[in-house]
């Protein structure tokens, strides 16, 4: 079964608003995940500048030796990215589902402040269910 | 990560399928960030001037390598972000894809970085990059007049064989 290692959600200024670890080796502390998120946000922007043709929207898939990183950016600039095992299929579909969960359980929550870290229990529950539906960590 | 593990020292020509214009650009950097070679076959959009473009590309790769080493979910001991990684140390990425291009990357054990930018639907180019590295070693490095750590551009006029072999090979990558 394909494994998902973790999920990051970044707001449009590059700050990390959600991070969930589903089974990576070793502990990532909060500061490290914040740094990784902002670094990714900048790399995503720089990759658009280096495109040989116009209309580039940023990195969709990064393939490394031990993991794949799938990224999805919404029209409003919020970025969702997933670190998974190499060769995992259907991550784009999963990212779109996660985006729907985000709009339903986070954005429609009247107590949620925009661009702030996400602390919505229903979002966590549904997210875990969605991730474990087809993928075992 | 073994570099040439399982293959002979001179990799054979990977199966070439399509013909046509799939290669956009190619960069070769050395360990210190000097751009040894920049070839352009098809690049409609130039955002920055050449110097800044090379620096930006090198910076992007340096940071992405640092990022992937840090993000590696299978290793327990991860270094700190921003610490320069030795070639082969830590997990390194081999390609990334956007909606308009695909960038394939390879680093040799001596720190020579090869970057090939192609059409987004290109397959895995790791073997192709090894072949190109081999072309570089055979036709450029082993050429006596060549001084290491200098850009190849002023030397290219003496490397007819390298130019033709490279152009021919890139044109054949699907």
């Amino acid at each position: 079964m394909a494994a998902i290692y973790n999920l990051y959600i970044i707001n449009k200024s590059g700050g990390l608003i959600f991070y969930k670890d589903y089974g990576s080796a070793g502990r990532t502390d909060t500061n490290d995940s914040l740094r990784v998120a902002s670094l990714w946000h900048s790399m995503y922007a720089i990759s658009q500048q280096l495109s040989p043709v116009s209309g580039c929207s940023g990195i969709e898939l990064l393939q490394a030796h031990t993991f794949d990183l799938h990224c999805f950016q919404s029209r409003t600039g919020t970025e969702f990215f997933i670190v998974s095992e190499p060769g995992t299929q259907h991550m784009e579909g999963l990212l779109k589902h996660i985006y729907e969960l985000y709009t339903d359980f986070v954005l429609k929550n009247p107590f949620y402040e925009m661009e702030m870290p996400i602390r919505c229990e229903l979002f966590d529950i549904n997210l875990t269910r969605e991730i474990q539906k087809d993928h075992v960590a | 990560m073994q570099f040439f593990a399982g293959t002979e020292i001179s990799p054979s020509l990977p199966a070439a399928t399509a013909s046509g214009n799939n290669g956009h650009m190619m960069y070769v950097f050395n360990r210190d960030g000097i751009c040894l070679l920049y070839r352009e076959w098809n690049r409609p959009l130039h955002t920055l001037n050449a110097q800044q473009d090379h620096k930006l590309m090198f910076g992007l790769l340096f940071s992405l390598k640092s990022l992937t080493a840090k993000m590696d979910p299978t290793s327990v001991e991860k270094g700190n972000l921003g610490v320069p990684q030795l070639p082969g140390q830590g997990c390194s990425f081999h390609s990334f894809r956007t909606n308009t291009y695909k960038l394939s990357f390879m680093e040799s054990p001596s720190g020579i970085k090869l970057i090939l930018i192609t059409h987004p639907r290109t397959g895995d180019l790791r073997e192709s990059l090894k072949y190109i590295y081999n072309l570089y070693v055979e036709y450029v490095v082993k050429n006596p007049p060549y001084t290491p750590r200098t850009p190849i551009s002023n030397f290219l006029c003496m490397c007819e064989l390298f130019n033709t072999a490279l152009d021919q090979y890139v044109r054949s990558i699907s």
Side-chain angles (χ1 to χ4, degrees), chain A residues 2-3 10 20 31 35 43-44 52 54-55 65 73 93-94 128 134 137:
Chain A
I10 305 182
K20 193 74 187 294
N31 284 334
R35 283 187 208 119
M43 298 295 104
Y44 190 86
S54 53
H65 294 118
Q73 185 184 51
L94 179 64
T128 318
D134 329 272

Side-chain angles (χ1 to χ4, degrees), chain A residues 5-6 8 23-28 32 35-37 39-40 42-44 46-69 81 83-84 92, chain B residues 1 24-25 27 42-48 53 56-57 59-60 63-64 66-76 78 80-81 91-102 117 126:
Chain A
Y5 292 114
N6 37 40
Y8 293 72
S24 62
R27 228 174 43 92
T28 314
D32 278 343
R35 283 187 208 119
V36 161
L39 185 57
W40 176 258
S42 327
M43 298 295 104
Y44 190 86
I46 291 177
S47 68
Q48 294 177 322
Q49 288 228 346
L50 290 167
S51 169
V53 289
S54 53
C56 183
S57 66
I59 300 177
E60 289 172 0
L61 168 64
L62 176 101
Q63 291 171 301
H65 294 118
T66 51
F67 67 92
D68 279 357
L69 190 152
F81 66 93
V83 176
S84 67
E92 289 85 41
Chain B
M1 267 307 122
H24 286 294
M25 299 106 75
Y27 297 77
N42 175 24
R43 187 176 190 178
L45 176 70
H46 289 83
T47 347
L48 306 159
D53 188 61
L56 192 63
M57 178 57 83
L60 176 70
S63 313
L64 274 180
S66 187
L67 182 76
T68 48
K70 186 71 190 183
M71 279 184 95
D72 186 3
T74 54
S75 81
V76 181
K78 299 169 200 175
N80 290 315
L81 267 180
C91 175
S92 174
F93 77 104
H94 57 81
S95 75
F96 73 73
R97 187 194 77 211
T98 72
N99 62 330
T100 50
Y101 68 98
K102 176 168 184 172
I117 298 194
R126 275 181 280 187

Side-chain angles (χ1 to χ4, degrees), chain A residues 14 16 19 26 44 48 67 70-71 73 84 94 103 105-107 111 118-119 124 127-128:
Chain A
L16 181 69
Y19 166 68
Y44 190 86
Q48 294 177 322
F67 67 92
H70 301 258
C71 183
Q73 185 184 51
S84 67
L94 179 64
T103 54
F105 294 107
V106 178
L107 294 182
F111 299 110
I118 296 176
R119 304 253 182 274
D124 282 337
L127 186 64
T128 318

Side-chain angles (χ1 to χ4, degrees), chain A residues 50, chain B residues 27 29 35 38 40 43 46-58:
Chain A
L50 290 167
Chain B
Y27 297 77
F29 290 103
C35 184
Y38 169 68
E40 190 178 288
R43 187 176 190 178
H46 289 83
T47 347
L48 306 159
N49 73 23
Q51 282 281 50
Q52 290 175 325
D53 188 61
H54 299 332
K55 283 191 200 157
L56 192 63
M57 178 57 83
F58 185 77

Side-chain angles (χ1 to χ4, degrees), chain B:
Chain B
M1 267 307 122
Q2 289 304 315
F3 183 62
F4 278 129
T7 65
E8 334 79 63
I9 294 299
S10 311
S12 56
L13 188 64
T17 44
S19 68
N21 256 342
N22 277 310
H24 286 294
M25 299 106 75
M26 187 175 100
Y27 297 77
V28 178
F29 290 103
N30 79 348
R31 195 179 8 203
D32 307 317
I34 302 175
C35 184
L36 302 176
L37 174 70
Y38 169 68
R39 289 296 286 280
E40 190 178 288
W41 293 281
N42 175 24
R43 187 176 190 178
L45 176 70
H46 289 83
T47 347
L48 306 159
N49 73 23
Q51 282 281 50
Q52 290 175 325
D53 188 61
H54 299 332
K55 283 191 200 157
L56 192 63
M57 178 57 83
F58 185 77
L60 176 70
L61 296 169
F62 180 86
S63 313
L64 274 180
K65 274 193 58 181
S66 187
L67 182 76
T68 48
K70 186 71 190 183
M71 279 184 95
D72 186 3
T74 54
S75 81
V76 181
E77 237 348 283
K78 299 169 200 175
N80 290 315
L81 267 180
V83 173
Q85 303 280 323
L86 294 171
Q89 180 189 39
C91 175
S92 174
F93 77 104
H94 57 81
S95 75
F96 73 73
R97 187 194 77 211
T98 72
N99 62 330
T100 50
Y101 68 98
K102 176 168 184 172
L103 183 145
S104 307
F105 171 73
M106 187 198 81
E107 184 168 22
S108 79
S110 58
I112 302 286
K113 303 184 194 350
L114 267 109
I115 295 104
L116 191 58
I117 298 194
T118 54
H119 187 269
R121 258 166 292 292
T122 320
D124 189 354
L125 286 179
R126 275 181 280 187
E127 289 306 315
S128 307
L129 283 172
K130 281 194 192 156
Y131 183 74
I132 293 176
Y133 177 64
N134 205 53
L135 286 181
Y136 166 74
V137 166
E138 295 295 323
Y139 290 125
V140 178
V141 177
K142 292 187 181 175
N143 200 339
Y146 175 64
T147 18
R149 291 197 202 91
T150 58
I152 312 181
S153 42
N154 24 348
F155 182 66
L156 266 179
C157 43
M158 292 197 253
C159 283
E160 287 303 323
L161 289 172
F162 176 66
N163 285 339
T164 39
L166 181 66
D167 281 342
Q168 210 171 8
Y169 181 64
V170 170
R171 226 171 282 132
S172 69
I173 296 177
S174 67

